Amino acid sequence: MQTHKRISLSLLLTYAILIAGAIVVVYPFAYMVANSLKTGREIMHAPRALLPEEPTLRGYKGVFEELNVLLLFRNTLIVAVAVTLENVLLSALAGYAFAKIPFPGRDKIFGFMLLTMMIPGVLFLIPTYVLMYNIGWVGRFEALIIPGAVSVFNIFLVRQFITGIPDELIEAARIDGARETTIFRRIILPLVRPALGTVAILTFMGSWNDFMGPLLYLNRPDRWTLQLGLLQFRGTVPGENAEQIWALTTLITLPILLMYFFIQEQFVKAFANVSLSK
Amino acid sequence: MQLPASVHSPPPTSSRLLHRVRQYWWGYVFVSPWILLYLVFGLYPLVLSFFLTFFNYSFVTPGDRTFVGLGNWIRGIEDPLFWKSLYNIILNQAVFILLKNGLGLLLAALLFRVTIGARIFRTIYFLPVITSTVVLMTVGDNLAGPGGAVQLWLMDIGVLSKPVFWKAYDTLPMIIIAIINTWKWFGISTVILLAGMYGIDPRLFEAAAVDGASGLQIFRNITIPMLRPQLFFLLVVDVINGLQMFGEILSIGFNVYGGIKNQALTPVLYLYAQAFDQANVGYASTLGLMLAVIIAVLTFLQFKFVPSRLD
């Protein structure tokens, strides 16, 4: 009786802390959405209220009419969709080769590839910009779409997944005279779909949320992405464009949040994989 | 001493190698996109970055490139702003790594205990992780700023007597940014450590409980040591990523010099300012190399001295 009571008390405390944590995490999102529905005056004077006194969509209207956000959506999508498609296809091909095609030198190349992951990204920042500048890609989508076409991490993720497919399946097809491209299309692609889903989600999210790439290479108003545009619109005066800023932060965040809620299990697993695989 | 040739395993003859190359040549085709991209956008910039450190060079006038030898390195070592930026980021990361992983560990331990609702909490804790830095820093800036919700509450309960303009302080910016970043990233630590806890043999906990160990003792003597691989991984990745922090500072509203007193200047921000505000491309490249060396040394030291494996 005594222990039972103590256990339930500690369980109560556990839930209390977990719920407090959840509130701290969710509150800023609620704050963001609530403020996006307020008038500029209310944002300044009652920032904490989670229920707008006079709800308005002025911020959202302003975002589209004054800030031309459709163009920003378009730019963001061009890069994100291109990079996602490239990564899905190229990491599937390379992942298959590294897992199941025993070409000479394969393990050496694979080892080298993993090694490149250890190099801090800061080393590439300036020289890559010099390169882009010299080939005239600064201010062009190519600067993000071409170098971002395939990532080591995605190749690794798909390769680990394909390694689990039984060799017999592939060997049998090879003995039957099937070409590698056929094996890839008929056997590998259908089986590897879950891993490619993870690659697609992570790549799309990474590109959508990317800030440094667009800052370096798409830093002109007609090429701004959503993240870069948000920063530019914030201006220097506190409260400037307040209505539009809150509407824009909500609009930027919503697509990713929706994606997350539909497939959150894959999201979390993908991130957990990052740690377990290294 | 000469051994008969047959003792050695026969080396793959060139014809056999050629045969395998011919048989599996699609393998090269399939990995070639990555190899090509890495040659152009990986290896070439890497070589270029070493090359650039020996020159004064600007985008505006690429013609007058002047050789300065080790001048950029000496300048970097003597540059008080570089060391200031390094001090800032180390302060920031010390606070961030402790808070984020401490909080992650606490919440993982609590989630490990509950069966009902664990998934919902995990889902919620992961929300900031998937949200963009610019958005979160915009919101964080507003919440933490003078007149923002957090300061209003702290005044309500009497912790603060008047609004604090923390961005103008010397050390407060890096600490407050570390707290906002903790809020963004603790979900990763929680998920990774929770996965680690599920991987521990439950018989260990049972045996300890039978021996009369308290919950806290079990946590300290079993859970923590068993989580060493996960904690080590988090530390290594946090140091590598954290020292390269950049977007957060601009997103929260500082200029490329991290404020008038450089109170929020980070190394990567500083090299960005050198390259794009002052057009010192060679010097910026050198700063990048200096930071990479520091990161490499710290990573090496962690591998050498931090226990990473189970006993």
Side-chain angles (χ1 to χ4, degrees):
Chain A
M1 194 62 201
Q2 194 69 42
T3 52
H4 182 75
K5 213 167 163 188
R6 213 187 308 148
I7 285 171
S8 58
L9 192 70
S10 87
L11 200 64
L12 212 64
L13 192 67
T14 301
Y15 273 110
I17 298 173
L18 289 174
I19 290 169
I23 291 172
V24 171
V25 167
V26 171
Y27 176 76
F29 290 98
Y31 178 90
M32 171 177 87
V33 176
N35 275 311
S36 78
L37 297 168
K38 290 178 190 170
T39 60
R41 212 168 42 95
E42 211 184 332
I43 294 171
M44 285 297 277
H45 295 295
R48 282 186 288 181
L50 287 182
L51 282 177
E53 224 160 77
E54 11 172 353
T56 170
L57 291 175
R58 253 177 30 202
Y60 289 92
K61 261 176 72 184
V63 158
F64 287 101
E65 284 168 6
E66 292 152 41
L67 303 183
N68 199 12
V69 159
L70 277 181
L71 178 74
L72 271 54
F73 265 103
R74 194 200 68 145
N75 293 342
T76 308
L77 277 174
I78 287 174
V79 177
V81 170
V83 170
T84 303
L85 291 177
E86 290 170 325
N87 268 279
V88 166
L89 177 69
L90 297 180
S91 60
L93 285 172
Y96 168 51
F98 281 129
K100 295 294 182 192
I101 307 181
F103 59 90
R106 176 184 73 173
D107 297 341
K108 284 206 182 76
I109 298 175
F110 186 67
F112 173 75
M113 193 182 80
L114 292 187
L115 210 66
T116 65
M117 282 209 288
M118 297 291 286
I119 305 172
V122 61
L123 265 184
F124 300 99
L125 199 152
I126 301 298
T128 307
Y129 189 90
V130 172
L131 171 66
M132 294 292 181
Y133 188 87
N134 288 337
I135 58 179
W137 280 5
V138 172
R140 297 172 63 96
F141 293 123
E142 284 92 325
L144 296 185
I145 289 176
I146 303 299
V150 63
S151 85
V152 174
F153 175 69
N154 285 339
I155 293 176
F156 183 73
L157 207 121
V158 178
R159 184 241 181 209
Q160 294 305 86
F161 192 89
I162 296 180
T163 307
I165 298 174
D167 281 337
E168 293 80 34
L169 236 87
I170 296 154
E171 283 307 323
R174 279 194 191 130
I175 290 164
D176 287 347
R179 295 202 318 185
E180 295 295 342
T181 45
T182 316
I183 298 175
F184 175 75
R185 232 182 31 235
R186 295 271 170 79
I187 300 175
I188 301 297
L189 267 191
L191 287 173
V192 82
R193 242 178 233 156
L196 295 184
T198 306
V199 166
I201 292 165
L202 289 181
T203 310
F204 187 86
M205 189 190 85
S207 175
W208 184 275
N209 286 346
D210 185 21
F211 167 64
M212 200 169 193
L215 176 72
L216 287 170
Y217 299 117
L218 301 180
N219 204 351
R220 41 185 264 208
D222 62 327
R223 289 283 181 275
W224 282 349
T225 60
L226 289 164
Q227 309 292 344
L228 191 55
L230 172 61
L231 189 70
Q232 305 285 1
F233 295 147
R234 276 178 60 192
T236 47
V237 186
E240 192 184 319
N241 300 335
E243 292 171 2
Q244 289 97 321
I245 297 296
W246 288 114
L248 188 55
T249 52
T250 307
L251 280 176
I252 293 177
T253 311
L254 224 54
I256 299 289
L257 286 190
L258 285 178
M259 264 174 66
Y260 175 65
F261 276 115
F262 281 116
I263 38 184
Q264 51 103 357
E265 199 60 19
Q266 263 161 299
F267 253 104
V268 176
K269 274 212 191 97
F271 271 93
N273 276 341
V274 178
S275 69
L276 301 177
S277 58
K278 273 186 190 167
Chain B
M1 198 172 93
Q2 284 262 309
L3 287 169
S6 60
V7 169
H8 297 290
S9 58
T13 58
S14 60
S15 75
R16 264 184 59 192
L17 192 71
L18 210 67
H19 176 72
R20 274 183 56 206
V21 168
R22 211 174 284 152
Q23 189 182 359
Y24 296 116
W25 67 281
W26 274 109
Y28 299 103
V29 177
F30 288 171
V31 300
S32 62
W34 178 77
I35 292 176
L36 284 176
L37 286 173
Y38 196 75
L39 285 177
V40 179
F41 298 106
L43 280 182
Y44 172 68
L46 220 50
V47 175
L48 189 61
S49 106
F50 282 99
F51 177 77
L52 286 170
T53 60
F54 299 113
F55 291 93
N56 263 344
Y57 175 84
S58 100
F59 298 117
V60 196
T61 51
D64 8 304
R65 192 174 64 195
T66 48
F67 183 78
V68 293
L70 290 176
N72 283 325
W73 286 89
I74 293 162
R75 184 175 166 194
I77 288 164
E78 290 175 347
D79 189 342
L81 273 188
F82 176 72
W83 296 107
K84 166 85 176 157
S85 72
L86 202 64
Y87 166 79
N88 282 345
I89 197 66
I90 289 173
L91 168 73
N92 173 271
Q93 287 305 303
V95 176
F96 169 71
I97 290 175
L98 274 177
L99 280 182
K100 172 207 156 221
N101 294 316
L103 195 65
L105 187 61
L106 171 73
L107 290 170
L110 295 180
L111 282 177
F112 188 61
R113 296 189 58 205
V114 304
T115 39
I116 304 159
R119 252 187 66 178
I120 299 169
F121 285 117
R122 203 189 58 182
T123 303
I124 291 173
Y125 294 162
F126 219 67
L127 279 176
V129 174
I130 58 154
T131 308
S132 88
T133 298
V134 184
V135 165
L136 286 190
M137 286 293 153
T138 305
V139 177
D141 182 30
N142 199 279
L143 282 170
V150 173
Q151 291 207 18
L152 289 176
W153 274 316
L154 290 178
M155 285 196 283
D156 285 350
I157 59 170
V159 175
L160 294 179
S161 53
K162 57 180 183 349
V164 177
F165 291 80
W166 57 270
K167 279 188 187 166
Y169 283 69
D170 273 328
T171 47
L172 265 183
M174 290 325 264
I175 291 169
I176 288 175
I177 290 170
I179 293 171
I180 300 176
N181 258 342
T182 297
W183 172 65
K184 175 161 170 47
W185 293 111
F186 80 91
I188 291 250
S189 295
T190 306
V191 165
I192 287 173
L193 293 172
L194 186 60
M197 287 179 194
Y198 285 134
I200 300 173
D201 188 345
R203 278 174 301 184
L204 281 175
F205 297 123
E206 283 158 22
V210 167
D211 288 347
S214 72
L216 206 65
Q217 280 172 325
I218 293 177
F219 184 71
R220 217 180 48 209
N221 297 321
I222 296 178
T223 312
I224 298 277
M226 293 300 283
L227 286 179
R228 260 183 211 161
Q230 283 82 11
L231 289 168
F232 180 73
F233 167 80
L234 286 169
L235 181 67
V236 169
V237 173
D238 284 344
V239 168
I240 293 176
N241 289 337
L243 291 180
Q244 300 183 65
M245 188 169 90
F246 167 80
E248 282 86 344
I249 309 294
L250 294 180
S251 306
I252 208 160
F254 284 102
N255 64 11
V256 290
Y257 293 97
I260 311 169
K261 293 187 283 184
N262 311 107
Q263 62 272 41
L265 189 66
T266 67
V268 178
L269 192 63
Y270 186 45
L271 81 90
Y272 179 85
Q274 281 293 344
F276 298 104
D277 195 54
Q278 305 201 4
N280 289 328
V281 179
Y283 184 45
S285 199
T286 312
L287 290 173
L289 267 167
M290 287 173 68
L291 183 64
V293 169
I294 291 168
I295 291 172
V297 168
L298 284 177
T299 308
F300 172 78
L301 289 177
Q302 290 175 70
F303 272 94
K304 189 117 192 172
F305 294 113
V306 179
S308 63
R309 256 167 263 166
L310 309 176
D311 299 323

